[in-house]
Amino acid sequence: MSTDSTDPTITFDAVTKRFGAHVVLDELSFTVDPGEFVTLIGPSGSGKTTILRLLMTLEKVDGGTISIDGEYLSHMERGGKLVPADEKHLSRVRRRIGMVFQQFNLFPNMSVLRNITEAPTRVLGLSKGEAEARAVDLLDMVGLSDKASAHPTQLSGGQQQRVAIARALAMRPDVLLLDEVTSALDPELVAGVLSVLKEIASTTDITMLCVTHEMQFARDVSDRVMMFDSGRVIEDAVPEKLFTSPEHDRTKEFLSAVLNRA
Amino acid sequence: MTWDWDYAREVLPKLLEGLLVTFEATVVGSLIAYVLGLVFAFIRRSRIPVLSQVVWLFVEFVRSTPLLVQVFFLYYVLQPELGLLWTSFLTGSIALGVHYACYTAEVYRAGIDAIPVGQWEAATALSLPRSRVWLGVILPQAVPRVLPALGNYTISMFKETPLLIAIGVVDLVGEARGVGAQSYRYVEPFTIAGLLFLLLSYPASILVRRLERRVNRQH
Ligand SMILES: Nc1ncnc2c1ncn2[C@@H]1O[C@H](COP(=O)(O)OP(=O)(O)OP(=O)(O)O)[C@@H](O)[C@H]1O
Ligand SMILES: [Mg+2]
């Protein structure tokens, strides 16, 4: 399978997603370039989480295709025809994608260190020593060097989320998905997590797709902001443009509602 | 009706021999119930066509028929039919284990269902292989939660072993009946047998309750 260096990292091509009769995404198309930091904003229920979950293969598409670096994620080619991806194909392509969840979802039966080393050893085949060295570096980056042997339940929400970020990065993903990663945190813990994300955005070339209500953060780190409504992109612009002079009324309404709430 | 201490002392060793058999049947039955129950829970969850339904039917069937009928069926029908040459002890313990596996399967199912869906999703997001998700993430969280329920079933099994007398297993109660029949004195053997059951199941149930409280505190 050839990978063209000019391929976008993420390609949604006419992706449709339904839950029962409810069409959540209706032939949605967009691309994200390598290394780009793209923020998705939009009202509740507009389909932001669904987009990330489709990319993480936690949901299946009902129509259209999703590709990563020019390689189909949702589908695979068999006998010249495009068929839905089987588990083997999914597990190979999904390795390039990492996700951080709103509720952290750390494994409570493992220490912080094990949470981070589990997948690199079991999936990437790293030795225990290599995986631990990688974990130690990442814990240092997220400011939790002293918590390696702690258990997730002993950590604050903000600390748990920083471990979850380290856990995702330990797989060296090409794409990192962030779904409202600070929404479950007490306000005083938000800044610590956001500063870690800022550092990742500026020091790595990981392509990042982020759903957040932290507008100042989105403005600071995003290369591009996409405004969603009812499963469609209604505005797609650099942050300075989208936040200061949005073109659509829906964007204006949404931004003023969010900014007033904050 | 008088109590004869000398007679009681005399029959005690025999009764303890019977208790050992009761014990062994409980241990063998529990091991089968713990392992087979998990296998049943897996198969039902896997939704493998036919196999999954067959297991479901089997579980429902076993749960709706008396244990004694199952013991008889295994001993008098299945076992000779298949030419297995199992002893009555082995047949009885297996019947007990399989019967209770149909209950522990439900316990495991509930324990597995109680694991938040976010744990599965995080495991998928890390591309952990299926076997690792089960062995590394799901079961280590589910099993501690179900230990108290499994413990309760072991206590039930312990108290149900006398049923195996019906196919000739000489357990604690069987011994009590045996020594009683020899001397036409039943008070002492049956009283001691009852006390031995009480002496073991009561502390065991206290232990299980304590374990339950500890598990509940953690979740
Ligand atoms: N598993 C599901 N079953 C049924 N409907 C679902 C499911 N997941 C999402 N939906 C519906 O799909 C729509 C889009 O949901 P989604 O979670 O993607 O929205 P969102 O933009 O992330 O919203 P929010 O800002 O509230 O997180 C909603 O109407 C939601 O009710
Ligand atoms: Mg959402």
Side-chain angles (χ1 to χ4, degrees), chain A residues 19-32:
Chain A
F19 289 109
H22 181 188
V23 179
V24 178
L25 304 180
D26 187 11
E27 305 211 345
L28 173 69
S29 297
F30 68 88
T31 60
V32 177

Side-chain angles (χ1 to χ4, degrees), chain A residues 53 56 58 94-95 97 101 105-110 114 118-119 122-123 167 171, chain B residues 117-129 132 135-138 140-141:
Chain A
R53 290 175 60 83
M56 197 63 259
L58 298 172
R94 108 164 35 103
R95 269 177 219 187
I97 306 171
F101 300 86
N105 298 344
L106 293 179
F107 303 131
N109 57 312
M110 300 179 191
R114 257 299 283 294
E118 180 73 3
R122 305 287 178 177
V123 182
R167 181 176 69 172
M171 290 295 284
Chain B
V117 65
Q119 293 290 305
W120 294 94
E121 297 187 340
T124 304
L126 291 168
S127 299
L128 288 179
R132 264 334 282 172
L135 294 175
V137 178
I138 302 301
Q141 294 181 59

Side-chain angles (χ1 to χ4, degrees), chain B residues 190-207:
Chain B
F190 279 136
T191 308
I192 295 172
L195 283 176
L196 284 173
F197 271 108
L198 179 74
L199 222 63
L200 287 163
S201 15
Y202 188 62
S205 66
I206 289 177
L207 273 177

Side-chain angles (χ1 to χ4, degrees), chain A:
Chain A
M1 225 160 287
S2 75
T3 303
D4 193 324
S5 62
T6 60
D7 277 328
T9 296
I10 302 172
T11 307
F12 268 56
D13 187 9
V15 170
T16 296
K17 177 66 191 171
R18 281 185 289 267
F19 289 109
H22 181 188
V23 179
V24 178
L25 304 180
D26 187 11
E27 305 211 345
L28 173 69
S29 297
F30 68 88
T31 60
V32 177
D33 285 333
E36 242 192 328
F37 190 113
V38 174
T39 298
L40 312 182
I41 61 170
S44 181
S46 57
K48 306 179 298 292
T49 294
T50 302
I51 290 167
L52 299 195
R53 290 175 60 83
L54 283 168
L55 273 164
M56 197 63 259
T57 69
L58 298 172
E59 304 281 357
K60 286 187 161 43
V61 298
D62 294 310
T65 59
I66 300 174
S67 312
I68 300 295
D69 269 337
E71 180 176 16
Y72 288 116
L73 171 71
S74 56
H75 294 72
M76 56 188 198
E77 280 156 302
R78 186 185 280 158
K81 275 207 297 224
L82 216 51
V83 296
D86 61 15
E87 186 51 39
K88 199 162 147 240
H89 178 89
L90 283 178
S91 75
R92 187 170 54 79
V93 186
R94 108 164 35 103
R95 269 177 219 187
R96 312 171 61 172
I97 306 171
M99 184 160 183
V100 182
F101 300 86
Q102 189 173 340
Q103 298 296 340
F104 334 131
N105 298 344
L106 293 179
F107 303 131
N109 57 312
M110 300 179 191
S111 68
V112 163
L113 192 73
R114 257 299 283 294
N115 263 277
I116 303 174
T117 58
E118 180 73 3
T121 52
R122 305 287 178 177
V123 182
L124 304 180
L126 262 60
S127 73
K128 190 160 172 271
E130 290 167 325
E132 283 180 358
R134 194 182 274 196
V136 166
D137 282 348
L138 286 165
L139 281 174
D140 186 43
M141 189 200 75
V142 300
L144 293 171
S145 302
D146 53 335
K147 300 291 186 195
S149 56
H151 270 262
T153 46
Q154 299 167 319
L155 304 182
S156 74
Q159 291 171 329
Q160 288 187 53
Q161 194 59 297
R162 282 184 277 153
V163 173
I165 292 168
R167 181 176 69 172
L169 290 178
M171 290 295 284
R172 304 251 165 101
D174 299 328
V175 177
L176 186 62
L177 309 171
L178 307 162
D179 191 9
E180 301 200 36
V181 298
T182 57
S183 295
L185 301 180
D186 292 335
E188 72 271 20
L189 302 176
V190 169
V193 171
L194 292 183
S195 79
V196 165
L197 293 178
K198 266 183 202 170
E199 178 167 344
I200 298 165
S202 64
T203 59
T204 71
D205 50 11
I206 299 175
T207 306
M208 289 163 82
L209 204 52
C210 170
V211 175
T212 184
H213 294 299
E214 299 291 334
M215 293 302 157
Q216 188 57 50
F217 167 75
R219 205 169 163 161
D220 292 347
V221 302
S222 306
D223 298 306
R224 194 146 63 87
V225 180
M226 292 200 279
M227 166 76 193
F228 278 84
D229 195 21
S230 310
R232 285 174 305 119
V233 185
I234 59 168
E235 194 156 355
D236 181 348
V238 294
E240 301 86 80
K241 170 86 173 62
L242 195 128
F243 286 115
T244 51
S245 52
E247 289 187 0
H248 285 258
D249 291 341
R250 282 295 288 139
T251 313
K252 285 177 202 159
E253 283 164 31
F254 174 75
L255 287 176
S256 76
V258 172
L259 295 175
N260 285 337
R261 195 172 53 202

